[in-house]
Amino acid sequence: MTQWRNWSGLESATPSDVLTPTTPADVVDAVTEAAERGSPVKMVGTGHSFTSISAPEGVMLRPDALAGILDVDRDAMTVTALAGTPLHVLNTELARLGLSLHNMGDIHEQTLAGATSTGTHGTGGLKASLSAQVSGLELVTGDGSVINASATQNPDVFAAARLGLGALGILTQLTFDVEPLGVLLAHEQPMLWDEALERYGEFVAESHHCDMYWFPHTDRMQVKRNYRQDLAPADAEPLSRFRAWLDDDFLANTAFGAINAIGNRVPSLVPRFNEMSGRLLSERSYSDIPYKVFTSPRRVVFREMEYAVPREVGLAALREVRRLIEASDWRISFPVEIRMTPADDLTLGTSTGRESIYLAFHVNQHTDHTAYFRGVEEILTSYDGRPHWGKVHTRTAADLAPTYPRWQEFLDLRDRLDPNRLFANSYLERVLGN
Ligand SMILES: Cc1cc2nc3c(=O)[nH]c(=O)nc-3n(C[C@H](O)[C@H](O)[C@H](O)COP(=O)(O)OP(=O)(O)OC[C@H]3O[C@@H](n4cnc5c(N)ncnc54)[C@H](O)[C@@H]3O)c2cc1C
């Protein structure tokens, strides 16, 4: 019997059947059949969500064969791809075509539909989430019908299904806005907490993408800023293969994994390790095509919670979290990540209607996260925080509803597109209600 398990290993499920559709028509058949049998059906991505959002509790549709680029429109500057296409495939194929997405998160292993369905985001830019870069989609709904949506065609479906939590139907195709392949200059600089927080507004204003990491139990931060360059990709000055391997693979994964393993056995060493890691970081600059700057390999498996809070209270929330960590006996070996996003117009977007600061908290896969995440979650909820849909949180429909101005609109659309809850699972029941 096939078991579904997510990347972090925190969630698992046993689907009743597993199908691998190769075309949108196969998806329609699978949905129609599941509807006739009264069985739930869910398409999964690569399982990179930390929650059970994609747990298949009936028929599981695998994304693997629903992959590939369908169309490139250089006049409209859009690319259309099948929904199960991995993001890294899209990125490399776009680069080959001299094109690029505008922004993305830290990794690119996820499927297009999986990443957009939870609002996967990067930092800064004009649009930070992948969902906000979608300009068209095709969706198979609960009665097996196919809806195409864009800003002008079925705009209510478009607003919601770009970040649909897998609750509105099965996406078969997605169209993304793209731009000419450019070059990003990356500048990374160690800094002390006070200076980094004091100058944060300045960093966000003068760079295009700003990302900061704080090493808990220390005063040390790493500030990363990216700047869009007016350069051809051939003129980029990437890291040497050795430096890229040393910094982004060996130090960030192999050495960090070993330090984590020791920290798990002897937690009292964690503050010293964090201080050492913070001190070892050096200033560096390089330039490269965007996806090579935005994404890097993550081989140390972890659990993560991330909240979006209104930008104006983001740093106050972070300061309060630091006070909580310092007053606790927790030993946190992973840095806290701080990102910024512009407001977007997605019905259930974590940045909908407001500029946001995202605060992300991680622990090693073998560390119990519950007390740390619960304590931090209480603080971030008090700042009107919205949890990332794909990362660990304990919120429910009743307490999420007040923080989303268009909550009811999403529920009404769900009633229309999936009245029999064919696409439901326990996670969706918790966060959206029945
Ligand atoms: C190491 C790591 C790094 C990460 N970095 C970031 C980051 O920088 N920024 C960020 O925001 N997030 C990040 N995430 C979170 C991750 O991007 C999201 O959780 C994303 O949803 C995972 O995509 P997936 O393909 O694995 O989808 P899954 O987790 O498998 O599924 C997510 C949702 O998509 C739905 N879905 C999948 N396919 C379809 C379809 N065809 N139609 C409709 N619904 C569908 C599923 O049913 C489910 O509801 C990271 C996660 C990990 C593990």
Side-chain angles (χ1 to χ4, degrees), residues 4 7-8 42-51 53-55 63 66 83-84 104-107 109-122 139 164-167 169-172 298 302 304 306 337 339 358 388-391 425 428:
W4 168 88
W7 179 83
S8 73
K42 189 154 285 291
M43 179 159 272
V44 298
T46 52
H48 278 74
S49 293
F50 296 87
T51 58
I53 188 167
S54 58
L66 201 67
M104 66 199 72
D106 298 337
I107 59 161
E109 310 311 311
Q110 315 94 312
T111 58
L112 302 182
T116 56
S117 294
T118 61
T120 296
H121 63 92
L139 183 74
L165 311 178
I170 297 191
L171 293 160
T172 46
R298 294 290 159 101
F302 55 85
E304 182 177 348
E306 184 176 40
E337 189 175 11
R339 294 184 272 191
Y358 282 71
H388 190 300
W389 293 107
K391 301 189 183 178
N425 63 10
L428 291 182

Side-chain angles (χ1 to χ4, degrees), residues 19 55 61 67 129 162 187 207 231 304 383 386:
L19 301 174
L61 304 186
S129 80
R162 283 180 289 162
H187 179 71
S207 67
L231 282 181
E304 182 177 348
Y383 283 90
R386 296 169 177 159

Side-chain angles (χ1 to χ4, degrees), residues 61-131:
L61 304 186
R62 295 179 58 93
D64 316 55
L66 201 67
I69 292 186
L70 299 172
D71 183 52
V72 178
D73 183 338
R74 287 184 186 269
D75 294 328
M77 285 303 273
T78 59
V79 60
T80 302
L82 287 165
T85 309
L87 201 44
H88 65 88
V89 170
L90 183 74
N91 279 338
T92 44
E93 195 56 20
L94 284 179
R96 203 180 55 77
L97 295 163
L99 299 168
S100 171
L101 291 171
H102 174 66
N103 204 346
M104 66 199 72
D106 298 337
I107 59 161
H108 60 167
E109 310 311 311
Q110 315 94 312
T111 58
L112 302 182
T116 56
S117 294
T118 61
T120 296
H121 63 92
T123 184
L126 300 172
K127 292 176 177 182
S129 80
L130 287 162
S131 317

Side-chain angles (χ1 to χ4, degrees), residues 360-379:
F361 307 87
H362 313 67
V363 298
N364 184 276
Q365 63 169 330
H366 301 299
T367 307
D368 183 4
H369 63 276
T370 44
Y372 175 38
F373 285 7
R374 197 184 322 114
V376 171
E377 185 169 41
E378 249 172 56
I379 293 176

